[in-house]
Each structure stands twice: as C-alpha cells, then as structure tokens.
Amino acid sequence: MRPPTQHSAHPTRKPGNLGWRALRPARHRSRCLWLGLVLILPSSLAADEASSLLQDWHDVWLFRFFLNVLGYTTIIIPGYFLITYLKRINYLQTGVDDLQTGRGIFYPVIKACVFGSETKTGLQDDVSLAPRNDADSGSSARQAFKLVFCAAGLQVSYLTWGVLQERVMTRSYGASTPEEEGEHFKDSQFLVFMNRILALTVSGLWCVLFKQPRHGAPMYKYSFASLSNVLSSWCQYEALKYISFPTQVLAKASKVIPVMLMGKIVSHKSYEYWEYLTAALISLGVSMFLLTSTADKHPSTVTTFSGVVILGGYIVFDSFTSNWQDNLFKHKMSSVQMMFGVNLFSCLFTVGSLLEQGAFFDSLAFMTRHSEFAFHAVLLSVCSACGQLFIFYTIAQFGAAVFTIIMTLRQAIAILLSCFLYGHAVTMVGGFGMAVVFLSLFLRVYARSRMKAGRKVPQPQVQKV
C-alpha cells in the first residue's frame, strides 16, 4: 500500500494565487499616490494664491511704504537701544579708562558716533566753500562767468535729472516695437539708494581732498534727517506713478503754503502781507492748473487721490529734513560734511531694507536685463550728486536769492521740457495758472531780498533728490 500523503501546514502556492497577492502592494501604492496628490494639490494651489495675493499687495503703494519703514526699524531700534545703553553706562568715562589700559580700541569711533564733541556755534563755518566776499569778487566779467557756470551747472544737472526721473518711473524697458508691453521698473527705493551711494562717494572724496572744520555733532543725529530725506525722495519717485511730472513740480513749488500754515499754527509765527498775497496767488495758480489740466493717463479719482497723498507725504518729510538740518548746523560743520553724514545713514537704511525684502538683487537683475536702465540709473545719480555740489557753490558765491531764482527758472523749464518730450496736455487756463505760480515765486524772492537788504541771509540747506 501507498503511505498516506503528508499535508503541509501551508497550502500549496499556485501561480494563480501569486497574482492576486502581488496586486495588493500595487493597489496600496496607488491609493497612497492618489492621497498624496489630493493633499499636495490644494497646498500648491494655496501657495499660488498666496503668491498672487502677495504680488497684488506689492502693487499697492501704501503696502510698499510700510514695508520700507519696517525695514528701517530693524536698524533704528537696535541702534536706539545701543546708544541708550552707552549713555547710561557713561561710556565716555569708562572708555577713557579702557583706552589708557590699551583695551578701548573702539573708543574714538563710539565717541564720534554717539557723543561727538558737543561744541556748538551760531555760525556755519563752511571751509570747503568759502562765503561770498564782495571785496574779493574780482572783475565783473569773472563774476558773470561764475554766474553763467553756476546757472548752467544747476540747469543741466536738475533738468537732466527730471527728464530721467520721469523716463525711469513712467516708461517701460525692453520693448523692441511700440506694440510690445515691455517691463516697468517698480522699486523706487533702489533709485534712492543709487542716488545716495554716489552722493556719499562724492561728498566723502570732497571731505578728504579739501580742508573741513572739526566735526562736532554726534553722527547718529544725522539719522533723523536721513530717514525723512529717504522717505521724501521715495515719495517723490513713487508719485510719478500716479500723477504727471508737471503736477509734481507745481506741487513742490507750492509747498510754501503748508509751511506757512504749520508755522502759524505750531510756532505762532507772523508773516508779512506780501507773504500772504503770494501764498494766495500760488494757491490760485495751482488750482487753475490741477482743475483744468486733466490727463487721460490718470482718469480715476483713486489714482489722483493716491498721488495727492504721496505728494503730501513728500512735503511733510522734506519740511522735517530742512528743519532738522538747520538744527544740526548749530554744531560746527560744513555743508559737504552734512551731505556726507545724511547720505551715510541713507545708504545704511536703504540697502538694509532692500536686502531684507529681497529687492536689491531683483533690481540688479533688472539692470543686467536692461542696459538702458542701468545707464539711466547711473546718470540719474551723477546728476543728483553734482547738483548738490552746484547748490553749495552757488549759494556761497552769489547768495540764496540768486540760487532761488535759478531753481525757480529750472522748475518752469522742467515743466515745458516734460510736456514737449512726454506729451503732457496743458490747457490755456492751466498754462496761465503755471505762469501765476512762478510769477508769485519771483515776487517772493524780490520782496524778501528788499526786506533783508543789508542783513546776512541764512543759507537754505538743501538735501534733495
């Protein structure tokens, strides 16, 4: 007989059984794949929506403004705490003791930045640009040549600057044909940084090459004027996205009105009758221009309101800059030293904010893509730096009245040049309003020169563009 068959504990695996067992891992992987897609797809869509929303917010000027200010605070707040700490521990005394023992190597730097020499003077001792001296003025022909040189330098510098400013902020780059859209440069802060870095270089070289008075002010005090100057320059560039260049120039020319109102309300200042008259005429002229010269390029009331708000910010920040600089000149310093100190902190603020936002390298990439923009940005900065030196030289040689006349003429020519190059439409009533504004400005210069004849007129400290 055949012995009984021994059955295995496990059933015999047939080829058919192997098939359905092999399918189970495949089905599991498929379910995991679909589950992953279900989880990943909404998150990717949410990321795209967030990126699109962030890009939309970047197109809002108020969001960009607060983003810039937030970047500045990351520098201001640590600096404030550091300065407060050094003053609280009386670092001047402890630093001297450390210096005597050979351990206070940072003492001179900290003293210059935080404490200064604290010596003030009522006179502005400008060594680099000596004040005008009528006895040594030379021949009439030489003075006439100097006047033509100053006027030409100011006109060329700031007219070129104005034309390039409007070109960069309102026109596109990279369009080979008129039908193409091209690419617009949007970051006004980078242009401010470009202007400031070149102005810092020029003023630094000037301070090295020419003798300057001993510096007395603590360096950190420049940061206040620097911050307001950066913000006013940003508003100046940003406003061109919402208003025309002639409107901006007229608004800047009429800032005497809010200055007078602020002086009357806050400081209780009294003004002459001709100051009220010229202020009223300037208001009338600006109103005539704005109400009759509506451009098709900016039809919406929202855009117009944005432009007015930005220009208001420019006037407020610029007024603070001038007042703070006047206060700094109580210390013994030259105008070029002021230019260096303000631009030093302006570079620090703008480059810090640009790096934090990631906009610095984006702007450099835009420059590499569009060589024409790179040329315009560099030339814009050159004109800004040279214009400031011409301002100081003109005031030193001919006084504030002549300088104001030259700059008022520059504003009028800039409006005409902008209308000719970029096709801004100005009605007859708007043109009459422009004439009223500039005639009022000339009347103010004439009346002020008659009132202050025989007296020394303080130099207007201009830290612009």
Side-chain angles (χ1 to χ4, degrees), residues 4 52 75 149 179 183 240 261 271 334 337 345 379 388-389:
S52 177
I75 300 174
F149 173 73
E179 291 77 14
E183 189 177 4
L240 286 177
L261 290 175
Y271 298 96
S334 68
Q337 286 175 325
F345 281 95
L379 185 58
Q388 290 186 46
L389 293 179

Side-chain angles (χ1 to χ4, degrees), residues 15-283:
N17 292 337
L18 289 175
W20 71 266
R21 288 178 180 271
L23 283 176
R24 283 193 298 179
R27 290 177 181 176
H28 179 70
R29 287 194 300 267
S30 177
R31 284 196 299 268
C32 292
L33 179 61
W34 281 108
L35 182 61
L37 289 176
V38 169
L39 293 176
I40 293 173
L41 188 58
S43 61
S44 63
L45 291 176
D48 293 339
E49 288 184 9
S51 177
S52 177
L53 183 61
L54 186 61
Q55 184 62 38
D56 292 340
W57 274 106
H58 270 283
D59 294 335
V60 179
W61 69 267
L62 190 59
F63 177 77
R64 293 195 302 270
F65 175 81
F66 283 114
L67 202 61
N68 293 344
V69 173
L70 184 63
Y72 305 149
T73 56
T74 60
I75 300 174
I76 295 173
I77 293 177
Y80 168 78
F81 283 113
L82 179 61
I83 292 172
T84 304
Y85 171 74
L86 292 173
K87 288 185 175 181
R88 190 175 69 247
I89 66 173
N90 193 16
Y91 181 83
L92 274 183
Q93 184 61 39
T94 59
V96 171
D97 296 339
D98 291 342
L99 188 64
Q100 292 173 352
T101 60
R103 291 182 286 113
I105 57 176
F106 297 108
Y107 173 78
V109 177
I110 294 178
K111 180 183 177 182
C113 293
V114 179
F115 300 97
S117 62
E118 296 298 339
T119 57
K120 294 187 177 182
T121 177
L123 300 176
Q124 298 175 15
D125 186 10
D126 195 337
V127 176
S128 62
L129 296 173
R132 180 168 51 103
N133 189 345
D134 294 332
D136 300 329
S137 59
S139 63
S140 299
R142 185 177 180 182
Q143 285 298 100
F145 175 78
K146 285 184 178 180
L147 180 60
V148 171
F149 173 73
C150 292
L154 288 170
Q155 298 291 345
V156 171
S157 297
Y158 284 109
L159 286 176
T160 305
W161 175 82
V163 170
L164 288 175
Q165 183 188 30
E166 187 171 8
R167 168 66 181 88
V168 170
M169 298 306 299
T170 63
R171 298 297 190 269
S172 62
Y173 289 92
S176 56
T177 61
E179 291 77 14
E180 291 186 17
E181 181 68 22
E183 189 177 4
H184 286 267
F185 183 75
K186 299 180 180 180
D187 200 329
S188 302
Q189 188 176 211
F190 183 78
L191 294 177
V192 177
F193 167 74
M194 288 285 293
N195 290 349
R196 297 301 174 263
I197 192 67
L198 188 60
L200 176 68
T201 304
V202 171
S203 57
L205 290 175
W206 191 281
C207 290
V208 171
L209 295 176
F210 298 94
K211 183 180 178 181
Q212 302 293 316
R214 184 179 178 182
H215 191 267
M219 288 295 295
Y220 81 91
K221 288 191 175 183
Y222 289 108
S223 62
F224 298 94
S226 174
L227 179 62
S228 61
N229 178 251
V230 167
L231 293 174
S232 68
S233 299
W234 183 89
C235 291
Q236 184 172 312
Y237 283 111
E238 196 73 13
L240 286 177
K241 299 178 181 178
Y242 305 94
I243 60 174
S244 65
F245 183 77
T247 302
Q248 185 195 69
V249 172
L250 277 187
K252 290 162 60 177
S254 62
K255 68 180 181 180
V256 62
I257 303 168
V259 169
M260 288 181 62
L261 290 175
M262 189 67 67
K264 190 71 175 177
I265 295 173
V266 177
S267 305
H268 304 287
K269 291 183 178 180
S270 59
Y271 298 96
E272 301 291 336
Y273 72 92
W274 55 268
E275 293 182 285
Y276 289 107
L277 175 62
T278 53
L281 289 175
I282 290 173
S283 301

